[in-house]
Amino acid sequence: MLEDEDSDRIEKICPICKKEASKRCSRCAMVYYCSVEHQQYDWKMHKATCHPFKICSNEQYGRFLVATRDIKAGEIILKESPLVHGPAQITGPVCVGCLQGLEEKKHQECERCGWPVCKRSCQDHPAHQAECKFTIARGSKISIQHFYVPHPTYQCLMPIRCLLLAESDPARWEALLKLESHEEERRGSEQWRNDREGVAKLIPRFFKCENKWDEDEILRVVGIIQVNGHEVPLTEPSSVAIYNMASMLEHSCRPNLSKSFTNRGEVVIWAPNAIRRGDRLSICYTDVMWTTGNRLEHLQQTKMFRCECERCNDPTEYETYFSALRCSGFQKDSKCRGYLLPVDKSQWTGEWKCLRCSKEVTGAAVGQILERARIDLEAMEKHREDHCNKYLKHYSKWLASNHQFMVDVKISLSQVIGGNNPEAIKKIPYDKLMNKIKICQDLIALFEKICPAEARAFGATRFELHAALAELGRRSTEANNPAAAAVQLEDSLYNATECIRMLLHEPSVLMESKICAQARVNANTLKALLGIKE
């Protein structure tokens, strides 16, 4: 599709006829044509680079992507196959074909090389062929006798797949080498030392290929995997994939893009909300649902940089206090309603200070409370409503209501209340139903502030809110209050529609896809009740 050039743009040249052109490709806004015919003629060449963004670079950020036009909410901006896809470094044995986890006594072996597979056809998977030949050249088959986690041999498999691209697919190998490894920053760290012993030294010795790659080559590839690898949740355990263009997306703890995957392992990058032309495009390299201290530590350890995004530079996280503690929990008989946050926003293990009364608390005291809360959170049965309520009541003394741990429990509670089966919600008392609605509304308000592109969290919570509002509407109808019922059912339909929008791109193997499918069914039922025609 072509659109007329803005009047303030410089003159452009059609790539086909080299003549002056005034019509711009509407998808990428980067190429101009003199006619529709020449655009169609060029499409075979242009489609590979036709994206609504351009690649930029500077010394501070390296390569990054900038929107070349306004991007609409819901728009997919990138769909890309992996350069390489394989098991995670920390994993037990998985099938080298489909990457599904294996049981110790329920698996087969590749007839040629011995690597474990879940079924015979997986030994012929394209991703396994290069390493299969490489292993055969070793002179003896692989023999996986123990199912350790992490398994030492499996730590080498993804690096081997990358290294073998040099022979099997030179173009992908060249693209891989252009990605950042942070080798100098990693050198000497505990992780680097473990990788040197467990991967860089093991590969030449175990696979009898001492002269094929040197230690630095292997460590560089390991760095590329760790810095650029994306966790792919299509299998249990999750696998890891490296993508070329997606690796150029910069990090933000409040990103404007969401990431999903197809069943084939392609990454899908899309915009849950509208993005303006000229905005930088970002995803999150860590977990947006972690506190600032945890995010900073994880990024430093795994990606080798300190995050300076807007969210990390605001200790209050847009006044949500997602990482804050309550001052009153650290003072006996105190009625202070202030929040504790680090004195130095770059030192989350240092001293903390109340924003209201200025009382200071040691990092050790804060750490003790957080560790206890974390242990209790991991130990609790989140599927039990009474356990969730008990945790929230107990830790409300120390944790801000929007603290990560409290939010984690509230997400569980929003799903547990009336969520055992479709009929269960009809039986819960009115006060519990209203509590479910309030929890969902509060969570959505929080997500909109700290992570507006976190599609899975939005989608799942929107579904729970939709279900609760639909039940509220049903009760209003039975109480002969049609006006209230109409409003509640319309609100329920809106949330079902938003759930569908947020979970539309989830692969069928994930629960979120099943939630999306159910939301579609429910939305159609609500439209029929409300007399809304398609």
Side-chain angles (χ1 to χ4, degrees):
M1 182 176 176
L2 291 174
E3 60 182 31
D4 290 331
E5 180 187 7
D6 295 343
S7 59
D8 61 343
R9 299 299 185 88
I10 61 173
E11 181 179 275
K12 301 296 179 180
I13 302 298
C14 175
I16 302 304
C17 63
K18 310 303 180 185
K19 293 182 179 178
E20 186 175 314
S22 61
K23 297 186 181 296
R24 176 177 63 182
C25 173
S26 61
R27 174 165 170 74
C28 67
M30 293 291 287
V31 179
Y32 289 72
Y33 296 94
C34 64
S35 64
V36 173
E37 290 76 18
H38 279 190
Q39 184 199 28
Q40 292 173 342
Y41 183 84
D42 191 46
W43 178 240
K44 189 173 182 180
M45 291 292 294
H46 177 54
K47 67 179 179 180
T49 57
C50 186
H51 305 295
F53 55 77
K54 61 182 177 181
I55 302 172
C56 300
S57 65
N58 62 30
E59 289 186 6
Q60 182 179 1
Y61 296 101
R63 293 186 294 178
F64 56 92
L65 305 181
V66 174
T68 53
R69 60 167 172 79
D70 290 342
I71 295 172
K72 298 176 182 177
E75 187 175 346
I76 294 175
I77 72 156
L78 179 65
K79 186 176 180 181
E80 184 180 23
S81 296
L83 291 172
V84 60
H85 189 185
Q89 186 172 359
I90 307 300
T91 183
V94 300
C95 173
V96 292
C98 67
L99 302 177
Q100 285 286 359
L102 297 172
E103 294 183 38
E104 188 164 356
K105 297 181 179 179
K106 292 184 180 180
H107 71 278
Q108 302 178 42
E109 294 179 352
C110 174
E111 295 172 315
R112 299 181 293 271
C113 69
W115 278 103
V117 293
C118 64
K119 54 185 179 293
R120 186 58 59 210
S121 59
C122 277
Q123 72 179 23
D124 298 319
H125 194 287
H128 174 56
Q129 299 315 297
E131 76 219 17
C132 186
K133 293 177 183 177
F134 177 66
T135 306
I136 292 170
R138 170 178 179 261
S140 60
K141 290 184 177 181
I142 289 282
S143 180
I144 303 295
Q145 298 295 327
H146 303 286
F147 276 48
Y148 300 123
V149 180
H151 195 282
T153 310
Y154 271 84
Q155 291 188 85
C156 302
L157 189 50
M158 184 65 168
I160 286 172
R161 288 192 174 183
C162 292
L163 290 161
L164 291 175
L165 285 176
E167 299 172 7
S168 64
D169 196 329
R172 290 193 178 196
W173 173 245
E174 288 301 318
L176 189 77
L177 288 181
K178 292 179 181 178
L179 301 180
E180 184 60 72
S181 68
H182 288 303
E183 179 56 22
E184 291 306 313
E185 293 89 337
R186 294 177 67 251
R187 187 176 295 275
S189 67
E190 183 179 356
Q191 181 65 56
W192 182 89
R193 290 194 298 271
N194 291 338
D195 293 336
R196 185 184 182 205
E197 294 298 324
V199 181
K201 289 186 176 182
L202 180 60
I203 287 176
R205 183 174 68 250
F206 185 78
F207 290 93
K208 301 175 183 177
C209 58
E210 286 80 0
N211 298 320
K212 194 170 183 67
W213 304 295
D214 64 34
E215 194 175 281
D216 286 343
E217 285 180 285
I218 297 173
L219 285 169
R220 180 184 179 189
V221 163
V222 172
I224 289 172
I225 295 168
Q226 292 178 2
V227 171
N228 300 279
H230 291 258
E231 181 182 353
V232 183
L234 302 177
T235 55
E236 180 57 44
S238 296
S239 56
V240 171
I242 298 175
Y243 302 88
N244 183 29
M245 193 67 70
S247 294
M248 299 182 203
L249 287 162
E250 67 181 84
H251 161 78
S252 171
C253 291
R254 192 178 186 269
N256 53 16
L257 295 174
S258 185
K259 177 178 68 174
S260 190
F261 301 90
T262 69
N263 289 333
R264 297 186 301 274
E266 299 160 308
V267 70
V268 178
I269 306 293
W270 66 285
N273 306 294
I275 297 173
R276 295 175 299 180
R277 174 174 171 249
D279 283 357
R280 293 164 68 141
L281 304 180
S282 58
I283 57 174
C284 186
Y285 296 178
T286 182
D287 193 328
V288 295
M289 301 301 290
W290 286 353
T291 60
T292 299
N294 289 336
R295 297 194 314 273
L296 289 173
E297 182 180 13
H298 179 251
L299 288 168
Q300 189 66 60
Q301 289 181 352
T302 61
K303 306 302 181 182
M304 301 296 149
F305 72 88
R306 176 176 176 80
C307 183
E308 295 289 348
C309 75
E310 182 181 73
R311 181 179 170 190
C312 286
N313 278 319
D314 175 9
T316 73
E317 295 174 80
Y318 312 103
E319 298 185 349
T320 63
Y321 302 98
F322 187 73
S323 303
L325 276 68
R326 294 186 183 276
C327 178
S328 57
F330 294 85
Q331 297 188 68
K332 189 175 181 180
D333 300 324
S334 171
K335 295 183 179 180
C336 179
R337 299 172 63 87
Y339 293 111
L340 292 167
L341 284 167
V343 174
D344 182 349
K345 65 182 180 181
S346 67
Q347 297 294 330
W348 284 76
T349 57
E351 301 293 302
W352 288 47
K353 184 176 181 179
C354 177
L355 299 180
R356 176 170 291 191
C357 73
S358 298
K359 174 182 173 56
E360 292 194 8
V361 177
T362 65
V366 169
Q368 187 176 25
I369 290 294
L370 291 176
E371 181 64 7
R372 194 170 78 199
R374 182 191 64 79
I375 291 171
D376 286 349
L377 180 62
E378 290 181 355
M380 71 176 286
E381 298 178 53
K382 292 184 181 179
H383 63 279
R384 290 186 54 174
E385 185 179 343
D386 59 335
H387 281 214
C388 291
N389 285 323
K390 183 179 178 180
Y391 185 97
L392 292 175
K393 181 178 180 180
H394 178 72
Y395 280 104
S396 64
K397 179 180 178 180
W398 295 281
L399 304 180
S401 60
N402 280 336
H403 188 276
Q404 173 195 331
F405 297 158
M406 303 289 270
V407 169
D408 193 332
V409 175
K410 288 177 183 179
I411 290 173
S412 296
L413 191 58
S414 73
Q415 297 166 0
V416 168
I417 299 174
N420 294 331
N421 59 67
E423 295 298 313
I425 198 168
K426 296 180 180 180
K427 300 175 182 178
I428 64 173
Y430 176 79
D431 61 333
K432 283 192 176 183
L433 182 63
M434 296 308 294
N435 187 37
K436 180 183 178 86
I437 290 172
K438 184 178 187 308
I439 289 171
C440 290
Q441 290 172 336
D442 289 347
L443 287 172
I444 289 169
L446 173 67
F447 299 157
E448 286 174 344
K449 289 183 178 180
I450 65 171
C451 54
E454 185 62 12
R456 291 188 184 97
F458 267 111
T461 307
R462 289 283 188 189
F463 183 85
E464 296 298 334
L465 180 55
H466 134 74
L469 289 167
E471 172 58 19
L472 189 62
R474 186 190 69 80
R475 295 185 188 189
S476 293
T477 300
E478 287 188 347
N480 198 27
N481 189 348
V487 172
Q488 290 153 0
L489 292 176
E490 286 173 1
D491 199 2
S492 175
L493 176 58
Y494 168 76
N495 281 281
T497 304
E498 279 295 285
C499 168
I500 295 166
R501 187 175 77 84
M502 286 295 186
L503 301 182
L504 182 64
H505 304 296
E506 295 303 304
S508 61
V509 297
L510 295 187
M511 178 56 69
E512 286 84 358
S513 177
K514 297 174 177 60
I515 293 173
C516 183
Q518 186 60 55
R520 286 183 184 278
V521 173
N522 296 358
N524 288 334
T525 301
L526 286 167
K527 288 176 183 177
L529 285 171
L530 292 166
I532 298 173
K533 296 181 179 180
E534 295 290 344

